[in-house]
Amino acid sequence: FYHVARERSFSRAAKLLHISQPAMSVRVKSLEKELGERLFDRERKGVALTEAGAVLFESAEKIFADVEEAHARLREIRDSGSGRVRLGCSDTVSLYLLPPILKKFRRRFEAAEITIRNAYTSEICDLLVRGELDFGIVTKPTSLDRRLEARPLFVEPFVVVCGRDDPLLRRREVSLKALDKRPMVALEKGTVNRDQVDRALRTAGARPTIVLETGNIEVQKLYASIGFGCAVIPEGAGSGSDRRRLSVRPLKGRPLERAVSVVVHRDRYLSRPARALLDLLAESVD
């Protein structure tokens, strides 16, 4: 049931569990008979949870996460120098914020296994709820599942970047209004950063022409550097090497900022290595 619900497919779940699809269907039907409730609605593109199925799946997620937590605690008892840390973050965080922190972490926990999942804020929060991550480093979302807790990490301003021959170079600072009708390379809609930038542009009365959308800030910078248009990105997404191909200008007037937070599950156990990495993160931004 758990794997069918996650995959939204009997065939994909059967493949994961190395059993036949008919055997999978028989087991789910047996469970439905035992509970006296239909758990799935069959649809053309797969299956969907019924109301009863959604209730059971929420409990199943907790059960599987608790089992994984028990394994993690036992591993920690068995070998205090090992353990696993599963974190979610954006490409930018993994490229610019994490390397020096993980270098220090590796010296203390040489045997620890580190998994980094690069994803958007919404996906990271979903993975945390499902127990598939220990914590996430995200732009603070406007709303948060009640099972999660956001801990402030740091605040950073947005800046404007453009190619070295862009007319914006004549300005020491750039107002959002100055981006009106200008070509712009933007992040995909639905990301927290894109939503925040769009709101600020609307407030300033600016309507840039979006010439390219991407899910990656590194791609944003690349196309800005070859003259596709300007881009509004978090200041921390830049590096020294970017200055050779990009011009960076601060935003004029009321600053546009993003709050970066660590998000954790309120009820989940964190291994000693995971707690140590969180401490290193906090120290790095003090």
Side-chain angles (χ1 to χ4, degrees):
F1 164 77
Y2 174 72
H3 286 286
V4 173
R6 282 192 60 191
E7 298 296 324
R8 297 292 194 267
S9 165
F10 276 86
S11 59
R12 288 196 296 269
K15 187 175 181 180
L16 278 173
L17 296 176
H18 305 291
I19 61 176
S20 68
Q21 185 172 336
M24 174 73 78
S25 297
V26 168
R27 293 182 186 189
V28 171
K29 285 179 182 177
S30 176
L31 178 61
E32 289 178 324
K33 184 177 179 180
E34 178 186 339
L35 298 174
E37 295 284 352
R38 192 176 79 257
L39 301 174
F40 295 106
D41 287 324
R42 278 67 174 175
E43 299 180 339
R44 288 181 59 188
K45 294 184 179 180
V47 296
L49 287 165
T50 62
E51 184 177 357
V55 170
L56 183 60
F57 183 57
E58 184 175 344
S59 295
E61 282 188 311
K62 187 175 187 304
I63 290 166
F64 276 85
D66 285 344
V67 170
E68 177 56 36
E69 179 179 310
H71 282 297
R73 291 191 182 203
L74 290 170
R75 284 194 299 268
E76 193 169 320
I77 291 171
R78 187 168 58 244
D79 186 355
S80 60
S82 66
R84 183 174 67 175
V85 183
R86 304 164 303 166
L87 68 97
C89 64
S90 66
D91 296 333
T92 303
V93 168
S94 59
L95 281 169
Y96 300 111
L97 175 66
L98 286 180
I101 297 170
L102 289 180
K103 186 176 180 180
K104 290 181 182 178
F105 175 81
R106 177 57 70 194
R107 293 194 195 107
R108 291 176 55 185
F109 296 91
E110 293 183 359
E113 176 189 342
I114 306 168
T115 301
I116 299 176
R117 181 77 173 266
N118 292 128
Y120 295 145
T121 295
S122 58
E123 184 181 354
I124 289 170
C125 290
D126 288 342
L127 291 168
L128 281 165
V129 168
R130 298 205 299 262
E132 296 181 29
L133 291 176
D134 296 310
F135 63 88
I137 306 169
V138 301
T139 301
K140 185 180 179 181
T142 53
S143 62
L144 200 63
D145 188 286
R146 58 181 173 78
R147 290 164 286 185
L148 303 180
E149 174 189 355
R151 302 173 182 174
L153 195 59
F154 61 88
V155 175
E156 67 174 340
F158 283 84
V159 294
V160 178
V161 297
C162 56
R164 301 288 298 175
D165 57 352
D166 193 284
L168 282 179
L169 282 177
R170 293 194 292 268
R171 305 168 187 257
R172 297 181 64 180
E173 295 180 318
V174 177
S175 68
L176 288 172
K177 182 64 176 176
L179 303 182
D180 187 43
K181 297 184 174 58
R182 284 187 52 88
M184 176 176 282
V185 181
L187 279 181
E188 290 176 344
K189 289 183 178 179
T191 60
V192 176
N193 284 353
R194 171 67 185 272
D195 292 345
Q196 191 171 350
V197 170
D198 281 353
R199 284 195 300 271
L201 287 167
R202 285 195 300 270
T203 300
R207 297 184 63 184
T209 302
I210 306 299
V211 296
L212 187 147
E213 289 185 333
T214 175
N216 187 298
I217 290 179
E218 295 305 304
V219 176
Q220 258 190 300
K221 294 191 298 184
L222 172 63
Y223 281 91
S225 73
I226 62 175
F228 264 58
C230 60
V232 180
I233 67 170
E235 185 179 51
S239 66
S241 61
D242 288 328
R243 303 282 175 161
R244 292 194 291 271
R245 60 191 179 101
L246 281 167
S247 292
V248 182
R249 293 291 185 268
L251 284 168
K252 185 178 181 180
R254 185 177 179 180
L256 172 60
E257 298 174 327
R258 72 163 182 163
V260 177
S261 300
V262 169
V263 180
V264 298
H265 198 293
R266 294 180 186 275
D267 301 321
R268 291 279 172 250
Y269 168 77
L270 286 177
S271 66
R272 190 163 70 92
R275 296 194 301 270
L277 183 52
L278 284 175
D279 289 341
L280 285 173
L281 275 166
E283 291 169 11
S284 72
V285 297
D286 281 346

